[in-house]
Amino acid sequence: MKQWLNSFGGFLPLGIVWLCPLAAGLVAVIYGARDGAAWSALFDHPQLWPALILSIATGTLSLIISALLAFWIVAGLYGSKLWSGSSGLMGGFLSLPHLAFAIGFGFLIMPSGLIARMLGNFSGWTEPPQWITTQDPYGLSLVAVLVLKEVPFLIWLIGALLARPDISQMLRGQFRVSQSLGHGSGSIWLRVFIPQILPRLKWPLLIVWFYGASVVDVALAIGPTQPPPLAVIIWSDLNNADSVINARGTAGSLFLTAILTWLALVFLALQKAILPSIWNFLTRGPSRRRTPRITSGVFLFLFCAAYAMVFIILCVMSVGTLWPYPDLFPTESRWTAWGLFFTSPAPLLNSLSLACASTLAALALAIIWLETVPEKLDTALLVCAITALALPTLVIADGQYLAFLHLGLNGTWVGVFLAHLTPVFAYVFIVLKGPYRAFDPRYRSVSLGLNTDPYRFWSSVKLAMMKPAMAAAAAVGIGVSVAQYVPTQLIAAGRMSTLPIEAVTLSSGGNRPLLAVFALMLAVVPALAFIAAARFGRKTL
Amino acid sequence: MTLLLENISLTIGDVLLLKRFTISIEAGEIVTLMGPSGCGKSSILAYIAGDLTAPMRATGRVMLNGVDLVRMAPERREIGRLFQDDLLFPHLTVGENLLFGIARGGSAERRDLVNDALSRAQLEGLENRAPHTLSNGQKARVALFRALMAKPQAMLLDEPFSKLDAELRQSIRNYVFAHLRERNIPTLLVTHDREDAPLGGRIFRISNKGDLIRA
């Protein structure tokens, strides 16, 4: 009975502030889409099918290229000296929000961007080339941004998997056996490692795919416009003042989710049908092909160069007020944009307050759950967390908007906080669960046997040992919260401004220095959180 | 087929673990190398196979049928290995595991090879089974035949019987030795248990001072 009460006590706060808003959002979006007229209007939309094809194509293309590049780089570098450094680097790249990167990348590749200026200096151009780079009709620049952002994420995930002692030991043994059977390192990766690693990455890959096919803020900043990806059309409908068009947006968000889910299921079914022949092909005969070390190193260098150039161009752009083509540096620099940013600090303060509050709440909820609820129930919560992350943000945010209408939470700080908590808690729980559950319970027995009371054990032993994981989870939480655009814009209903909202608004305007400042601040806040996590997360036992 | 280990020595950092020694292993002969944990037995096997990693370092020549292997890539050495764990690939069936080291061939030919190996291993009908559904003894036999089907010119056994229970251990040991002798494969067995050594075979022991002594 006591254990049941304890478990219930752990479940209750989570149920109220996280599960209820999530479930209410999902119910409300389904309920809100029951209007047949909205579906008719959706299917009558002239851009529906080309936009859907564009969304699926950009999501799928970015996933395939990202996965190929990530495995190429890991296979080439794993075990080398470069590998140990690069896995830390990936964590740094991860902290940069997609939107900030997209804005910087846009500054790089636009006709008067840094790359065109470098080419102009080299070839003697006096005017920017008439190239369609950003917002190209095929979404290639959108795919490029997604690939550049997702590859570090996948490398980081594969690295974390390979760092697990059980897996690394198993793979080391299999590597030796495969070599003794005549296989080179490239062949071993292709035939032994990847087939075993890939199934463990199915959820992250699904999240990456859904994200790529339904992203709004990055698509608004750099994606095509005629037609735009379907998520942008839905987004425009959801922000329309007309309730009929709103309903079409709700139907659209469900339609996009249903199509993506259906495609994922078709892929899974096909995968099961063709897998045996793939394995049969892969296991035919030893190949002495080695892993591509040089090209992997080159790819890694190009990634680092892209991130460095994005950072540099944002810094230069934020102060450059006069920058004629093809000059490599502005001819006139002023701190006007920075001054403007700090004289109206509401977006920054709102982002910070939401990030801190949602992260602290998520940490508290996760710890209460992990302390009081039996481990066997973790799977159920994990399914909810993955659902919250895998479903397009549009669906959950729109559902929460509809649900919060009835509760009077739209336009309030609490409403936006609850909307942020949905993805923040999901990430915090996923990051914290492994280390927390791996904590050896015998430490508690030893501690209590030394006449230490449970509180002191928790504060001076467990907390100290869990500090690195908690700090990492907090940094991830802050990064996730700061990057939230769709839920903030919808739930805040125009009454609250944050960094991504201002950045997206500015991306369609002409004030480039101010846009660069917002993009930089969007990158700086999570980066500081990760640096602080690395600093304060050190074990102090 | 002859495996010659010539003037081999092993160090960790500046510490000499194993002083220079020479052993020649003839076709079908199984030589046993014994010694306490951490004396460098498995590192010698890693040196012969070509995957010795820092901080271990070894010098000397490894000659297989008159060819020096030291600068050759591990996958080109044609040296089979068996470890404590069977290390069957969990994502492949028994049949696919057996074919893993086989060069390309027609599907009928490959099927015949698998059936022949399974029949010799007394594992008929298990080609489509997943490795985790096999008993420890069955796994050990599949691992042996996977190595033998790649037609190795020499074999290295790294305590392959140490995780088997006493009854199974003896039968698998005899089974492995019989097949290696039948194929005339020179074999180096590393173990810390004298019972694992084949009867009548040469046994070398690594002393505390790093000398290799004929036991």
Side-chain angles (χ1 to χ4, degrees), chain A residues 173-174 176-184 191-192 195-196 279 283-286 288 290, chain B residues 51 73-75 79 81 83 87 89-92 99-103 105 107 110 146 150:
Chain A
Q174 290 179 350
R176 287 177 175 167
V177 166
S178 304
Q179 276 190 326
S180 76
L181 294 169
H183 288 266
R191 292 156 208 254
V192 180
Q196 293 183 82
W279 288 160
T283 52
R284 278 198 169 211
R288 286 172 178 160
R290 303 204 134 212
Chain B
D51 59 17
E75 63 270 18
I79 293 180
R81 291 171 91 178
F83 296 88
L87 293 171
F89 303 120
H91 61 294
L92 303 179
L99 288 170
F100 196 77
I102 302 288
S107 52
R110 291 163 71 82
R146 181 176 64 179

mmCIF file of all heavy atoms in Angstrom, chain A residues 173-174 176-184 191-192 195-196 279 283-286 288 290, chain B residues 51 73-75 79 81 83 87 89-92 99-103 105 107 110 146 150:
data_model
loop_
_atom_site.group_PDB
_atom_site.id
_atom_site.type_symbol
_atom_site.label_atom_id
_atom_site.label_comp_id
_atom_site.label_asym_id
_atom_site.label_seq_id
_atom_site.Cartn_x
_atom_site.Cartn_y
_atom_site.Cartn_z
ATOM 1 N N GLY A 173 35.066 -7.788 -30.121
ATOM 2 C CA GLY A 173 35.226 -9.223 -30.369
ATOM 3 C C GLY A 173 34.807 -9.582 -31.782
ATOM 4 O O GLY A 173 35.513 -10.319 -32.489
ATOM 5 N N GLN A 174 33.685 -9.035 -32.209
ATOM 6 C CA GLN A 174 33.197 -9.341 -33.558
ATOM 7 C C GLN A 174 34.143 -8.802 -34.630
ATOM 8 O O GLN A 174 34.299 -9.400 -35.690
ATOM 9 C CB GLN A 174 31.802 -8.742 -33.748
ATOM 10 C CG GLN A 174 30.751 -9.463 -32.906
ATOM 11 C CD GLN A 174 29.378 -8.860 -33.071
ATOM 12 O OE1 GLN A 174 29.220 -7.813 -33.665
ATOM 13 N NE2 GLN A 174 28.377 -9.525 -32.522
ATOM 14 N N ARG A 176 37.410 -8.643 -34.374
ATOM 15 C CA ARG A 176 38.542 -9.568 -34.475
ATOM 16 C C ARG A 176 38.161 -10.823 -35.255
ATOM 17 O O ARG A 176 38.915 -11.306 -36.100
ATOM 18 C CB ARG A 176 39.022 -9.955 -33.086
ATOM 19 C CG ARG A 176 39.770 -8.822 -32.414
ATOM 20 C CD ARG A 176 40.173 -9.207 -31.031
ATOM 21 N NE ARG A 176 40.985 -8.149 -30.436
ATOM 22 C CZ ARG A 176 41.284 -8.092 -29.161
ATOM 23 N NH1 ARG A 176 40.842 -9.016 -28.331
ATOM 24 N NH2 ARG A 176 42.024 -7.121 -28.690
ATOM 25 N N VAL A 177 36.994 -11.369 -34.922
ATOM 26 C CA VAL A 177 36.554 -12.581 -35.605
ATOM 27 C C VAL A 177 36.391 -12.306 -37.093
ATOM 28 O O VAL A 177 36.837 -13.097 -37.936
ATOM 29 C CB VAL A 177 35.215 -13.080 -35.008
ATOM 30 C CG1 VAL A 177 34.576 -14.107 -35.912
ATOM 31 C CG2 VAL A 177 35.451 -13.685 -33.650
ATOM 32 N N SER A 178 35.770 -11.170 -37.419
ATOM 33 C CA SER A 178 35.530 -10.848 -38.828
ATOM 34 C C SER A 178 36.854 -10.704 -39.573
ATOM 35 O O SER A 178 36.987 -11.153 -40.712
ATOM 36 C CB SER A 178 34.735 -9.558 -38.953
ATOM 37 O OG SER A 178 33.544 -9.660 -38.228
ATOM 38 N N GLN A 179 37.836 -10.080 -38.926
ATOM 39 C CA GLN A 179 39.144 -9.941 -39.567
ATOM 40 C C GLN A 179 39.756 -11.311 -39.822
ATOM 41 O O GLN A 179 40.329 -11.568 -40.880
ATOM 42 C CB GLN A 179 40.078 -9.129 -38.673
ATOM 43 C CG GLN A 179 39.918 -7.625 -38.849
ATOM 44 C CD GLN A 179 41.003 -6.863 -38.137
ATOM 45 O OE1 GLN A 179 41.480 -7.278 -37.080
ATOM 46 N NE2 GLN A 179 41.388 -5.734 -38.696
ATOM 47 N N SER A 180 39.617 -12.199 -38.838
ATOM 48 C CA SER A 180 40.199 -13.539 -39.005
ATOM 49 C C SER A 180 39.480 -14.308 -40.113
ATOM 50 O O SER A 180 40.003 -15.285 -40.632
ATOM 51 C CB SER A 180 40.143 -14.315 -37.693
ATOM 52 O OG SER A 180 38.838 -14.774 -37.445
ATOM 53 N N LEU A 181 38.262 -13.869 -40.455
ATOM 54 C CA LEU A 181 37.530 -14.522 -41.545
ATOM 55 C C LEU A 181 37.747 -13.796 -42.871
ATOM 56 O O LEU A 181 37.049 -14.033 -43.842
ATOM 57 C CB LEU A 181 36.039 -14.574 -41.207
ATOM 58 C CG LEU A 181 35.684 -15.468 -40.003
ATOM 59 C CD1 LEU A 181 34.253 -15.259 -39.574
ATOM 60 C CD2 LEU A 181 35.924 -16.929 -40.325
ATOM 61 N N GLY A 182 38.687 -12.853 -42.890
ATOM 62 C CA GLY A 182 39.084 -12.224 -44.138
ATOM 63 C C GLY A 182 38.407 -10.912 -44.474
ATOM 64 O O GLY A 182 38.521 -10.427 -45.599
ATOM 65 N N HIS A 183 37.681 -10.317 -43.512
ATOM 66 C CA HIS A 183 36.981 -9.060 -43.805
ATOM 67 C C HIS A 183 37.830 -7.853 -43.405
ATOM 68 O O HIS A 183 38.386 -7.827 -42.308
ATOM 69 C CB HIS A 183 35.656 -9.003 -43.045
ATOM 70 C CG HIS A 183 34.626 -9.940 -43.598
ATOM 71 N ND1 HIS A 183 33.695 -9.556 -44.531
ATOM 72 C CD2 HIS A 183 34.405 -11.254 -43.373
ATOM 73 C CE1 HIS A 183 32.937 -10.590 -44.836
ATOM 74 N NE2 HIS A 183 33.348 -11.649 -44.147
ATOM 75 N N GLY A 184 37.849 -6.831 -44.273
ATOM 76 C CA GLY A 184 38.501 -5.572 -43.946
ATOM 77 C C GLY A 184 37.570 -4.721 -43.092
ATOM 78 O O GLY A 184 36.382 -5.038 -42.956
ATOM 79 N N ARG A 191 28.805 -5.018 -42.932
ATOM 80 C CA ARG A 191 28.125 -6.302 -42.760
ATOM 81 C C ARG A 191 27.830 -6.668 -41.320
ATOM 82 O O ARG A 191 26.955 -7.491 -41.056
ATOM 83 C CB ARG A 191 28.986 -7.417 -43.371
ATOM 84 C CG ARG A 191 29.078 -7.337 -44.861
ATOM 85 C CD ARG A 191 30.338 -8.037 -45.350
ATOM 86 N NE ARG A 191 30.793 -7.444 -46.593
ATOM 87 C CZ ARG A 191 30.681 -8.005 -47.779
ATOM 88 N NH1 ARG A 191 30.123 -9.172 -47.895
ATOM 89 N NH2 ARG A 191 31.117 -7.394 -48.846
ATOM 90 N N VAL A 192 28.610 -6.116 -40.385
ATOM 91 C CA VAL A 192 28.442 -6.538 -38.984
ATOM 92 C C VAL A 192 27.933 -5.396 -38.099
ATOM 93 O O VAL A 192 26.950 -5.568 -37.374
ATOM 94 C CB VAL A 192 29.778 -7.079 -38.414
ATOM 95 C CG1 VAL A 192 29.608 -7.512 -36.975
ATOM 96 C CG2 VAL A 192 30.262 -8.247 -39.259
ATOM 97 N N PRO A 195 24.362 -3.238 -39.478
ATOM 98 C CA PRO A 195 23.107 -3.978 -39.283
ATOM 99 C C PRO A 195 22.699 -4.121 -37.825
ATOM 100 O O PRO A 195 21.525 -4.319 -37.523
ATOM 101 C CB PRO A 195 23.407 -5.352 -39.896
ATOM 102 C CG PRO A 195 24.504 -5.128 -40.837
ATOM 103 C CD PRO A 195 25.327 -4.015 -40.269
ATOM 104 N N GLN A 196 23.674 -4.052 -36.913
ATOM 105 C CA GLN A 196 23.308 -4.166 -35.497
ATOM 106 C C GLN A 196 23.021 -2.811 -34.854
ATOM 107 O O GLN A 196 22.247 -2.718 -33.902
ATOM 108 C CB GLN A 196 24.435 -4.864 -34.733
ATOM 109 C CG GLN A 196 24.610 -6.309 -35.145
ATOM 110 C CD GLN A 196 25.682 -7.009 -34.334
ATOM 111 O OE1 GLN A 196 25.426 -7.457 -33.229
ATOM 112 N NE2 GLN A 196 26.877 -7.088 -34.873
ATOM 113 N N TRP A 279 20.299 -9.013 -46.142
ATOM 114 C CA TRP A 279 21.322 -9.700 -45.323
ATOM 115 C C TRP A 279 22.056 -10.744 -46.158
ATOM 116 O O TRP A 279 23.262 -10.907 -46.060
ATOM 117 C CB TRP A 279 20.681 -10.391 -44.120
ATOM 118 C CG TRP A 279 20.189 -9.493 -43.040
ATOM 119 C CD1 TRP A 279 19.263 -9.847 -42.104
ATOM 120 C CD2 TRP A 279 20.567 -8.145 -42.731
ATOM 121 N NE1 TRP A 279 19.029 -8.792 -41.264
ATOM 122 C CE2 TRP A 279 19.820 -7.741 -41.618
ATOM 123 C CE3 TRP A 279 21.447 -7.240 -43.298
ATOM 124 C CZ2 TRP A 279 19.921 -6.480 -41.045
ATOM 125 C CZ3 TRP A 279 21.561 -5.967 -42.736
ATOM 126 C CH2 TRP A 279 20.812 -5.609 -41.636
ATOM 127 N N THR A 283 26.060 -10.731 -46.631
ATOM 128 C CA THR A 283 26.933 -11.758 -46.035
ATOM 129 C C THR A 283 27.636 -12.595 -47.087
ATOM 130 O O THR A 283 28.251 -13.592 -46.784
ATOM 131 C CB THR A 283 26.113 -12.677 -45.121
ATOM 132 O OG1 THR A 283 24.988 -13.148 -45.857
ATOM 133 C CG2 THR A 283 25.669 -11.962 -43.881
ATOM 134 N N ARG A 284 27.519 -12.183 -48.332
ATOM 135 C CA ARG A 284 28.179 -12.954 -49.386
ATOM 136 C C ARG A 284 29.648 -12.581 -49.481
ATOM 137 O O ARG A 284 29.995 -11.517 -49.961
ATOM 138 C CB ARG A 284 27.500 -12.718 -50.723
ATOM 139 C CG ARG A 284 26.292 -13.579 -50.869
ATOM 140 C CD ARG A 284 25.862 -13.681 -52.303
ATOM 141 N NE ARG A 284 24.863 -14.734 -52.381
ATOM 142 C CZ ARG A 284 24.684 -15.489 -53.430
ATOM 143 N NH1 ARG A 284 25.428 -15.337 -54.474
ATOM 144 N NH2 ARG A 284 23.755 -16.418 -53.436
ATOM 145 N N GLY A 285 30.458 -13.498 -49.038
ATOM 146 C CA GLY A 285 31.882 -13.380 -49.295
ATOM 147 C C GLY A 285 32.594 -12.265 -48.574
ATOM 148 O O GLY A 285 32.047 -11.185 -48.392
ATOM 149 N N PRO A 286 33.830 -12.504 -48.115
ATOM 150 C CA PRO A 286 34.588 -11.449 -47.445
ATOM 151 C C PRO A 286 35.054 -10.393 -48.443
ATOM 152 O O PRO A 286 35.305 -10.703 -49.598
ATOM 153 C CB PRO A 286 35.792 -12.194 -46.872
ATOM 154 C CG PRO A 286 35.686 -13.601 -47.306
ATOM 155 C CD PRO A 286 34.562 -13.749 -48.252
ATOM 156 N N ARG A 288 37.852 -7.097 -48.580
ATOM 157 C CA ARG A 288 38.961 -6.519 -47.796
ATOM 158 C C ARG A 288 38.923 -5.007 -47.806
ATOM 159 O O ARG A 288 39.872 -4.345 -47.415
ATOM 160 C CB ARG A 288 40.283 -7.050 -48.328
ATOM 161 C CG ARG A 288 40.429 -8.493 -47.886
ATOM 162 C CD ARG A 288 41.563 -9.223 -48.454
ATOM 163 N NE ARG A 288 41.562 -10.582 -47.885
ATOM 164 C CZ ARG A 288 42.163 -11.603 -48.414
ATOM 165 N NH1 ARG A 288 42.823 -11.449 -49.523
ATOM 166 N NH2 ARG A 288 42.114 -12.782 -47.835
ATOM 167 N N ARG A 290 38.599 -1.343 -46.814
ATOM 168 C CA ARG A 290 38.839 -0.701 -45.514
ATOM 169 C C ARG A 290 37.948 0.518 -45.344
ATOM 170 O O ARG A 290 37.384 1.019 -46.311
ATOM 171 C CB ARG A 290 40.310 -0.296 -45.381
ATOM 172 C CG ARG A 290 41.235 -1.480 -45.565
ATOM 173 C CD ARG A 290 42.552 -1.263 -44.908
ATOM 174 N NE ARG A 290 42.915 -2.451 -44.171
ATOM 175 C CZ ARG A 290 43.614 -2.440 -43.054
ATOM 176 N NH1 ARG A 290 43.995 -1.305 -42.539
ATOM 177 N NH2 ARG A 290 43.925 -3.559 -42.447
ATOM 178 N N ASP B 51 46.389 -7.672 -34.639
ATOM 179 C CA ASP B 51 45.570 -6.610 -34.040
ATOM 180 C C ASP B 51 46.005 -6.262 -32.609
ATOM 181 O O ASP B 51 45.176 -5.908 -31.771
ATOM 182 C CB ASP B 51 44.075 -6.958 -34.089
ATOM 183 C CG ASP B 51 43.736 -8.247 -33.377
ATOM 184 O OD1 ASP B 51 44.574 -8.714 -32.582
ATOM 185 O OD2 ASP B 51 42.645 -8.782 -33.607
ATOM 186 N N ALA B 73 48.054 -6.941 -43.479
ATOM 187 C CA ALA B 73 46.794 -6.571 -42.795
ATOM 188 C C ALA B 73 46.167 -7.814 -42.156
ATOM 189 O O ALA B 73 46.296 -8.912 -42.709
ATOM 190 C CB ALA B 73 45.823 -5.960 -43.798
ATOM 191 N N PRO B 74 45.511 -7.661 -41.010
ATOM 192 C CA PRO B 74 44.947 -8.829 -40.306
ATOM 193 C C PRO B 74 44.053 -9.689 -41.204
ATOM 194 O O PRO B 74 44.110 -10.913 -41.132
ATOM 195 C CB PRO B 74 44.137 -8.216 -39.166
ATOM 196 C CG PRO B 74 44.697 -6.868 -38.955
ATOM 197 C CD PRO B 74 45.239 -6.421 -40.269
ATOM 198 N N GLU B 75 43.255 -9.012 -42.060
ATOM 199 C CA GLU B 75 42.293 -9.777 -42.852
ATOM 200 C C GLU B 75 42.943 -10.559 -43.982
ATOM 201 O O GLU B 75 42.308 -11.381 -44.626
ATOM 202 C CB GLU B 75 41.200 -8.850 -43.401
ATOM 203 C CG GLU B 75 41.657 -7.777 -44.368
ATOM 204 C CD GLU B 75 42.032 -6.475 -43.658
ATOM 205 O OE1 GLU B 75 42.267 -6.515 -42.433
ATOM 206 O OE2 GLU B 75 42.103 -5.434 -44.341
ATOM 207 N N ILE B 79 44.489 -16.427 -40.864
ATOM 208 C CA ILE B 79 44.637 -17.075 -39.560
ATOM 209 C C ILE B 79 43.275 -17.067 -38.872
ATOM 210 O O ILE B 79 42.698 -16.005 -38.633
ATOM 211 C CB ILE B 79 45.680 -16.342 -38.688
ATOM 212 C CG1 ILE B 79 47.062 -16.498 -39.314
ATOM 213 C CG2 ILE B 79 45.669 -16.874 -37.265
ATOM 214 C CD1 ILE B 79 48.170 -15.822 -38.545
ATOM 215 N N ARG B 81 40.531 -17.733 -35.767
ATOM 216 C CA ARG B 81 40.603 -17.528 -34.313
ATOM 217 C C ARG B 81 39.329 -18.007 -33.631
ATOM 218 O O ARG B 81 38.231 -17.837 -34.169
ATOM 219 C CB ARG B 81 40.802 -16.036 -33.999
ATOM 220 C CG ARG B 81 42.140 -15.538 -34.396
ATOM 221 C CD ARG B 81 42.209 -14.048 -34.266
ATOM 222 N NE ARG B 81 42.686 -13.660 -32.947
ATOM 223 C CZ ARG B 81 42.870 -12.404 -32.575
ATOM 224 N NH1 ARG B 81 42.604 -11.424 -33.414
ATOM 225 N NH2 ARG B 81 43.314 -12.105 -31.370
ATOM 226 N N PHE B 83 37.569 -17.611 -29.670
ATOM 227 C CA PHE B 83 37.702 -16.874 -28.403
ATOM 228 C C PHE B 83 36.893 -17.553 -27.295
ATOM 229 O O PHE B 83 36.180 -18.523 -27.540
ATOM 230 C CB PHE B 83 37.202 -15.445 -28.593
ATOM 231 C CG PHE B 83 38.015 -14.639 -29.560
ATOM 232 C CD1 PHE B 83 37.729 -14.645 -30.919
ATOM 233 C CD2 PHE B 83 39.091 -13.884 -29.121
ATOM 234 C CE1 PHE B 83 38.472 -13.908 -31.812
ATOM 235 C CE2 PHE B 83 39.843 -13.130 -30.019
ATOM 236 C CZ PHE B 83 39.534 -13.148 -31.365
ATOM 237 N N LEU B 87 31.028 -15.476 -30.152
ATOM 238 C CA LEU B 87 31.007 -14.295 -31.037
ATOM 239 C C LEU B 87 30.299 -14.558 -32.368
ATOM 240 O O LEU B 87 30.723 -14.079 -33.422
ATOM 241 C CB LEU B 87 32.428 -13.770 -31.289
ATOM 242 C CG LEU B 87 33.114 -13.174 -30.056
ATOM 243 C CD1 LEU B 87 34.572 -12.889 -30.325
ATOM 244 C CD2 LEU B 87 32.411 -11.897 -29.620
ATOM 245 N N PHE B 89 27.480 -13.782 -34.961
ATOM 246 C CA PHE B 89 26.824 -12.502 -35.235
ATOM 247 C C PHE B 89 25.327 -12.636 -34.973
ATOM 248 O O PHE B 89 24.657 -13.441 -35.635
ATOM 249 C CB PHE B 89 27.085 -12.071 -36.675
ATOM 250 C CG PHE B 89 28.552 -11.978 -36.990
ATOM 251 C CD1 PHE B 89 29.122 -12.745 -37.988
ATOM 252 C CD2 PHE B 89 29.367 -11.123 -36.265
ATOM 253 C CE1 PHE B 89 30.472 -12.666 -38.259
ATOM 254 C CE2 PHE B 89 30.722 -11.040 -36.533
ATOM 255 C CZ PHE B 89 31.273 -11.811 -37.528
ATOM 256 N N PRO B 90 24.800 -11.871 -34.019
ATOM 257 C CA PRO B 90 23.405 -12.078 -33.613
ATOM 258 C C PRO B 90 22.380 -11.709 -34.675
ATOM 259 O O PRO B 90 21.258 -12.179 -34.633
ATOM 260 C CB PRO B 90 23.253 -11.168 -32.381
ATOM 261 C CG PRO B 90 24.329 -10.162 -32.502
ATOM 262 C CD PRO B 90 25.454 -10.808 -33.243
ATOM 263 N N HIS B 91 22.789 -10.850 -35.662
ATOM 264 C CA HIS B 91 21.823 -10.432 -36.672
ATOM 265 C C HIS B 91 21.790 -11.382 -37.863
ATOM 266 O O HIS B 91 21.031 -11.169 -38.798
ATOM 267 C CB HIS B 91 22.143 -9.014 -37.141
ATOM 268 C CG HIS B 91 23.488 -8.888 -37.776
ATOM 269 N ND1 HIS B 91 24.656 -9.068 -37.096
ATOM 270 C CD2 HIS B 91 23.848 -8.620 -39.055
ATOM 271 C CE1 HIS B 91 25.679 -8.897 -37.902
ATOM 272 N NE2 HIS B 91 25.214 -8.632 -39.110
ATOM 273 N N LEU B 92 22.645 -12.420 -37.830
ATOM 274 C CA LEU B 92 22.678 -13.380 -38.935
ATOM 275 C C LEU B 92 22.219 -14.750 -38.442
ATOM 276 O O LEU B 92 22.369 -15.072 -37.268
ATOM 277 C CB LEU B 92 24.109 -13.504 -39.483
ATOM 278 C CG LEU B 92 24.786 -12.218 -39.969
ATOM 279 C CD1 LEU B 92 26.197 -12.520 -40.445
ATOM 280 C CD2 LEU B 92 23.990 -11.589 -41.097
ATOM 281 N N LEU B 99 28.684 -18.877 -43.525
ATOM 282 C CA LEU B 99 29.143 -18.413 -44.839
ATOM 283 C C LEU B 99 29.906 -17.096 -44.771
ATOM 284 O O LEU B 99 30.354 -16.596 -45.796
ATOM 285 C CB LEU B 99 27.929 -18.235 -45.769
ATOM 286 C CG LEU B 99 27.272 -19.531 -46.250
ATOM 287 C CD1 LEU B 99 25.960 -19.219 -46.950
ATOM 288 C CD2 LEU B 99 28.198 -20.294 -47.188
ATOM 289 N N PHE B 100 30.037 -16.532 -43.598
ATOM 290 C CA PHE B 100 30.576 -15.175 -43.479
ATOM 291 C C PHE B 100 31.996 -15.052 -44.044
ATOM 292 O O PHE B 100 32.380 -13.993 -44.534
ATOM 293 C CB PHE B 100 30.556 -14.734 -42.009
ATOM 294 C CG PHE B 100 30.734 -13.260 -41.829
ATOM 295 C CD1 PHE B 100 29.684 -12.392 -42.062
ATOM 296 C CD2 PHE B 100 31.959 -12.726 -41.457
ATOM 297 C CE1 PHE B 100 29.845 -11.021 -41.913
ATOM 298 C CE2 PHE B 100 32.130 -11.363 -41.302
ATOM 299 C CZ PHE B 100 31.066 -10.512 -41.535
ATOM 300 N N GLY B 101 32.780 -16.107 -43.944
ATOM 301 C CA GLY B 101 34.168 -16.016 -44.434
ATOM 302 C C GLY B 101 34.370 -16.647 -45.791
ATOM 303 O O GLY B 101 35.503 -16.817 -46.239
ATOM 304 N N ILE B 102 33.274 -17.007 -46.456
ATOM 305 C CA ILE B 102 33.381 -17.718 -47.735
ATOM 306 C C ILE B 102 33.326 -16.738 -48.905
ATOM 307 O O ILE B 102 32.471 -15.850 -48.917
ATOM 308 C CB ILE B 102 32.195 -18.716 -47.882
ATOM 309 C CG1 ILE B 102 32.203 -19.699 -46.717
ATOM 310 C CG2 ILE B 102 32.252 -19.448 -49.220
ATOM 311 C CD1 ILE B 102 33.296 -20.711 -46.774
ATOM 312 N N ALA B 103 34.221 -16.929 -49.848
ATOM 313 C CA ALA B 103 34.206 -16.084 -51.039
ATOM 314 C C ALA B 103 32.930 -16.351 -51.832
ATOM 315 O O ALA B 103 32.267 -17.360 -51.631
ATOM 316 C CB ALA B 103 35.438 -16.384 -51.895
ATOM 317 N N GLY B 105 30.019 -17.298 -54.384
ATOM 318 C CA GLY B 105 29.754 -18.546 -55.105
ATOM 319 C C GLY B 105 28.280 -18.616 -55.403
ATOM 320 O O GLY B 105 27.502 -17.791 -54.927
ATOM 321 N N SER B 107 24.354 -19.842 -55.318
ATOM 322 C CA SER B 107 23.563 -20.103 -54.118
ATOM 323 C C SER B 107 23.480 -21.604 -53.814
ATOM 324 O O SER B 107 23.478 -22.018 -52.654
ATOM 325 C CB SER B 107 22.168 -19.489 -54.247
ATOM 326 O OG SER B 107 21.579 -19.904 -55.440
ATOM 327 N N ARG B 110 26.720 -22.603 -52.198
ATOM 328 C CA ARG B 110 26.794 -22.097 -50.818
ATOM 329 C C ARG B 110 25.895 -22.914 -49.904
ATOM 330 O O ARG B 110 26.241 -23.191 -48.744
ATOM 331 C CB ARG B 110 26.411 -20.609 -50.781
ATOM 332 C CG ARG B 110 27.446 -19.724 -51.464
ATOM 333 C CD ARG B 110 26.910 -18.354 -51.790
ATOM 334 N NE ARG B 110 26.718 -17.544 -50.596
ATOM 335 C CZ ARG B 110 27.692 -16.865 -49.975
ATOM 336 N NH1 ARG B 110 28.905 -16.912 -50.447
ATOM 337 N NH2 ARG B 110 27.436 -16.152 -48.916
ATOM 338 N N ARG B 146 32.579 -22.100 -38.566
ATOM 339 C CA ARG B 146 32.675 -20.820 -39.268
ATOM 340 C C ARG B 146 34.146 -20.505 -39.554
ATOM 341 O O ARG B 146 34.508 -20.064 -40.644
ATOM 342 C CB ARG B 146 32.050 -19.710 -38.423
ATOM 343 C CG ARG B 146 32.087 -18.357 -39.082
ATOM 344 C CD ARG B 146 31.392 -17.298 -38.271
ATOM 345 N NE ARG B 146 32.062 -17.053 -36.981
ATOM 346 C CZ ARG B 146 31.664 -16.160 -36.091
ATOM 347 N NH1 ARG B 146 30.588 -15.431 -36.340
ATOM 348 N NH2 ARG B 146 32.304 -15.996 -34.957
ATOM 349 N N ALA B 150 36.452 -20.953 -43.571
ATOM 350 C CA ALA B 150 37.246 -19.911 -44.243
ATOM 351 C C ALA B 150 38.606 -20.446 -44.671
ATOM 352 O O ALA B 150 39.428 -19.696 -45.206
ATOM 353 C CB ALA B 150 37.407 -18.713 -43.332
#
